[in-house]
């Protein structure tokens, strides 16, 4: 490496050496003995104390969850939903408390990792709630999810309790063991609550209950040995009290009831009365003992502070030297990093989006010209800059390759669609000839059905053409009556007999828009038929308005929510590139592309009958009024006629079953 790299390394080494010397001196005097004792009160106030209500709410939510999964009814869901809100409030308070610079300073690396683990577990809690709300998880799995999260909180307590003072550390460990005892009691409560809600207890649940009771009693006995004399006497009195005696009697009764799939040997009222008092007494003892432990740690911390003040004067020179070296080194690093940052922002916000936009327009892109290498020197920052050069070149090359891949996919769609269209056209031509020769009514009806299926196949092929960005070949030179346009759309849907067309008036549609409007209306009509009961009809009506001709397609199905309507309307007006991952929205994408070609506007809204109404507004430039409308005498059922495409577009034209039926 060059001199710049050597100088940078020397500066960093000098900075580290001065900091290590300062740390070693302070640690030799006092830091290793009591630095964490100085922060006991801070960690207790901002981590341990907010963690206590969090554990309690998680335990309550676990109990409510298994009760909900074990029972059936709205009351359980309401209680569970209310508990979710309570837990979320406490979880938010915990996040706000631990997200503090004082916690970062006081907590060790292991403690910070455990705190981050608890926060991550809280972030995953919403997924568990969704599974519980949908009843997609059993009681055991749901309870285990909460148990794992509570266990991460208890592990956080353990990391906070690592003190250099041996006696305080042992007493802290004993208190954490008692917290685990309380958690095991809560696990018992959750398990038996679920059993009581379900009304029966399986042998597996009985065995799990027995294991939990055994672990709880074992840990309680182990913790007694490490408690202070006063705390030990207090806990022994607690165990000898009536609440714990009653709880253990009920635990023994449940364990001895080992017959398969029997009703629980205790009632919910008995269990709640015993376990609530015992858990409350256990919690009160833990909090009182924890406060007393923090008070005992404070004199030790005060002694540490005195020794650190004496050591601070001797370390002042090293601190000043470290600050000077840090400032000079940081300035050099910041200048280089700022250049690297600006280059990364330009790539992310300007160059790469511009390349992608140009690729979307079909322009050719030179990767070497769009990703020129940036010079950052030969030191470590320069090596990062070279890595960034490689990243930006790869990013732009990948964008080019992806654009080429999308073009190839569109070409494949278009090729397949054109081939399918040719075959469907030949099929429709042959069917048309067969229908005209056939006189048997039953055979003719079957031919009409095949004809109708082929017509629908043609529309699916045209969908592929639209998705590929091309235009279907069906076209009309002359204007077509609007009623025939609507009939043509109805002929391309499956349940066309369920569609009722009301009078449309003496209006014609410009020939250049007939094919796309037929396709557009067919997509919307088919949606209305698909999402409405089979015994209902879909009404199509239209009239001239100030800005054009409005066609309303109204179904009487279940309708859509406000969010779904908003999403669908946004998809219709969105002109962005097709996202292949969202295959369920391909119909809306086709509608969006068809409206874009002729300035047609489509909006979905709620129907007065509870279903959905699609409003299609055709611009004035595409509609023409003519004399009297031959079909304006009244409403009629679908299946009485279809407009025919002009001969030059015969590659995509064809008859349909309803049209043929009318002609026969």
């Amino acid at each position: 490496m060059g001199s710049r790299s050597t100088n940078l390394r020397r500066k960093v080494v000098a900075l580290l050496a001065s900091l290590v010397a300062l740390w070693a001196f302070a640690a030799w005097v006092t830091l290793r003995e009591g630095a964490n004792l100085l922060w006991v009160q801070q960690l207790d106030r901002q981590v341990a104390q907010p963690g206590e209500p969090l554990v309690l709410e998680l335990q309550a939510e676990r109990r409510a969850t298994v009760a909900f999964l074990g029972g059936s009814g709205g009351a359980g869901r309401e209680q569970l939903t209310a508990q979710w809100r309570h837990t979320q409030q406490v979880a938010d308070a915990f996040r706000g408390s631990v997200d503090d610079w004082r916690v970062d300073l006081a907590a060790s690396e292991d403690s910070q990792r455990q705190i981050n683990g608890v926060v991550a577990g809280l972030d995953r809690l919403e997924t568990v709630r969704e599974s519980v709300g949908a009843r997609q998880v059993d009681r055991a799995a749901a309870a285990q999810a909460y148990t794992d999260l509570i266990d991460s909180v208890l592990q956080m307590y353990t990391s906070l309790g690592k003190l250099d003072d041996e006696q305080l550390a042992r007493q802290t460990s004993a208190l954490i063991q008692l917290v685990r005892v309380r958690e095991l009691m809560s696990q018992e409560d959750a398990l038996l609550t679920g059993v009581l809600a379900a009304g029966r207890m399986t042998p597996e649940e009985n065995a799990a209950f027995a294991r939990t009771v055994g672990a709880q009693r074992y840990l309680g006995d182990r913790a007694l040995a490490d408690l202070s004399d006063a705390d030990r006497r207090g806990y022994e009195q607690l165990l000898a009290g009536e609440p714990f005696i009653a709880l253990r009697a009920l635990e023994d009764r449940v364990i001895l009831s080992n017959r398969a799939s029997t009703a629980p040997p205790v009632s919910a009222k008995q269990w709640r009365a015993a376990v609530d008092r015992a858990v409350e007494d256990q919690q009160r003892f833990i909090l009182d003992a924890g406060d007393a432990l923090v008070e005992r740690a404070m004199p030790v911390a005060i002694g540490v502070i005195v020794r650190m003040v004496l050591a601070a004067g001797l370390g002042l020179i090293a601190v000043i030297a470290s600050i000077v070296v840090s400032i000079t080194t940081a300035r050099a690093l910041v200048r280089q990093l700022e250049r690297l940052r600006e280059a990364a922002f330009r790539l992310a916000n300007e160059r790469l989006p511009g390349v992608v936009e140009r690729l979307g327009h079909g322009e050719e892109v030179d990767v070497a010209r769009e990703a020129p290498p940036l010079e950052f020197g030969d030191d470590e920052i320069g090596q990062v800059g070279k890595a960034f050069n490689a990243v930006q070149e790869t990013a732009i090359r990948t964008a080019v390759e992806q654009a080429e891949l999308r073009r190839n996919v569109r070409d494949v769609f278009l090729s397949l669609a054109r081939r399918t269209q040719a075959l469907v056209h030949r099929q429709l031509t042959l069917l048309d000839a067969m229908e005209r020769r056939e006189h048997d009514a039953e055979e003719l009806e079957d031919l009409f059905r095949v004809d109708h299926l082929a017509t629908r196949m043609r529309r699916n092929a045209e969908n592929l053409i639209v998705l590929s960005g091309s235009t279907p070949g069906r076209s009309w030179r002359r204007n077509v009556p609007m009623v025939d346009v609507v009939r043509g759309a109805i002929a391309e849907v499956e349940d066309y007999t369920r569609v009722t067309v009301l009078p449309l008036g003496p209006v014609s549609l410009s020939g250049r828009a007939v094919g796309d409007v037929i396709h557009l209306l067919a997509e919307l009509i088919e949606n209305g038929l698909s999402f409405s009961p089979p015994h209902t009809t879909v009404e199509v009506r239209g009239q001239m308005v100030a800005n054009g001709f409005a066609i309303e397609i109204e179904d009487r199905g279940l309708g859509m929510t406000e969010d779904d309507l908003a999403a669908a309307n946004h998809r219709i007006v969105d002109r962005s590139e097709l996202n292949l991952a969202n295959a369920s929205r391909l119909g809306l994408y086709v509608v969006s592309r068809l409206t874009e070609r002729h300035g047609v506007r489509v909006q979905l809204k709620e129907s007065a009958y509870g279903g959905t109404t699609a409003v299609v507004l055709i611009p004035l430039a595409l509609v023409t009024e003519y004399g009297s409308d031959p079909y304006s005498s009244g409403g009629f059922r679908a299946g009485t006629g279809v407009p025919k495409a002009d001969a030059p577009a015969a590659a995509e034209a064809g008859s349909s079953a309803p049209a043929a039926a009318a002609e026969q």
Side-chain angles (χ1 to χ4, degrees), residues 10-178:
R10 184 180 297 117
K11 292 176 182 178
V12 173
V13 170
L15 173 62
L16 292 177
S18 62
L19 292 176
V20 169
L22 175 62
W23 172 83
F25 175 77
W28 180 75
V29 176
T30 57
L31 191 58
R32 193 182 66 84
E33 177 185 344
N36 54 351
L37 289 175
L38 295 171
W39 295 98
V40 166
Q41 190 175 19
Q42 188 69 38
L43 291 176
D44 179 70
R45 182 169 59 252
Q46 292 196 247
V47 180
Q49 291 182 11
E52 281 299 312
L54 177 62
V55 170
L56 294 178
E57 292 298 335
L58 289 174
Q59 291 171 344
E61 184 169 329
R62 176 176 57 192
R63 183 174 66 245
T65 297
V66 296
F68 168 73
L69 294 176
S72 60
R77 179 177 290 275
E78 292 176 1
Q79 295 174 1
L80 181 59
T81 302
Q83 183 59 50
W84 285 348
R85 290 195 296 269
H86 295 159
T87 304
Q88 193 60 44
Q89 292 174 357
V90 175
D92 292 340
F94 176 81
R95 287 192 185 94
S97 181
V98 300
D99 187 15
D100 189 277
W101 66 270
R102 289 167 295 186
V103 174
D104 297 336
L105 184 61
S108 64
E109 182 179 353
D110 179 59
S111 297
Q112 191 62 55
R113 184 169 58 253
Q114 297 296 341
I115 293 172
N116 294 337
V118 173
V119 174
L122 293 176
D123 294 337
R124 294 190 297 269
L125 193 57
E126 187 61 32
T127 303
V128 177
R129 291 169 177 167
E130 292 176 358
S131 300
V132 171
R135 293 185 180 270
Q136 296 175 347
V137 64
D138 59 18
R139 298 200 307 272
Q144 187 60 44
Y146 286 98
T147 299
D148 292 341
L149 179 54
I150 295 172
D151 187 64
S152 68
V153 179
L154 300 184
Q155 290 177 5
M156 178 187 71
Y157 287 165
T158 301
S159 67
L160 296 176
K162 294 180 179 179
L163 304 175
D164 290 331
D165 186 280
E166 181 179 355
Q167 183 178 6
L168 291 177
R170 187 171 61 253
Q171 295 174 8
T172 301
S173 177
L175 281 180
I176 294 174
Q177 292 283 39
L178 292 181

Side-chain angles (χ1 to χ4, degrees), residues 484-535:
D484 289 340
V485 173
V486 174
R487 288 174 173 174
I490 296 171
E492 297 190 1
V493 301
E494 181 175 4
D495 292 338
Y496 59 88
T497 57
R498 291 173 49 204
V499 183
T500 300
V501 181
L502 300 181
L504 300 175
V507 177
S508 295
L509 180 65
S510 176
R512 60 188 172 90
V514 169
D516 288 339
V517 172
I518 287 177
H519 195 159
L520 170 65
L521 295 177
E523 290 289 336
L524 296 174
I525 292 172
E526 187 165 62
N527 278 347
L529 292 170
S530 301
F531 294 100
S532 60
H535 63 275

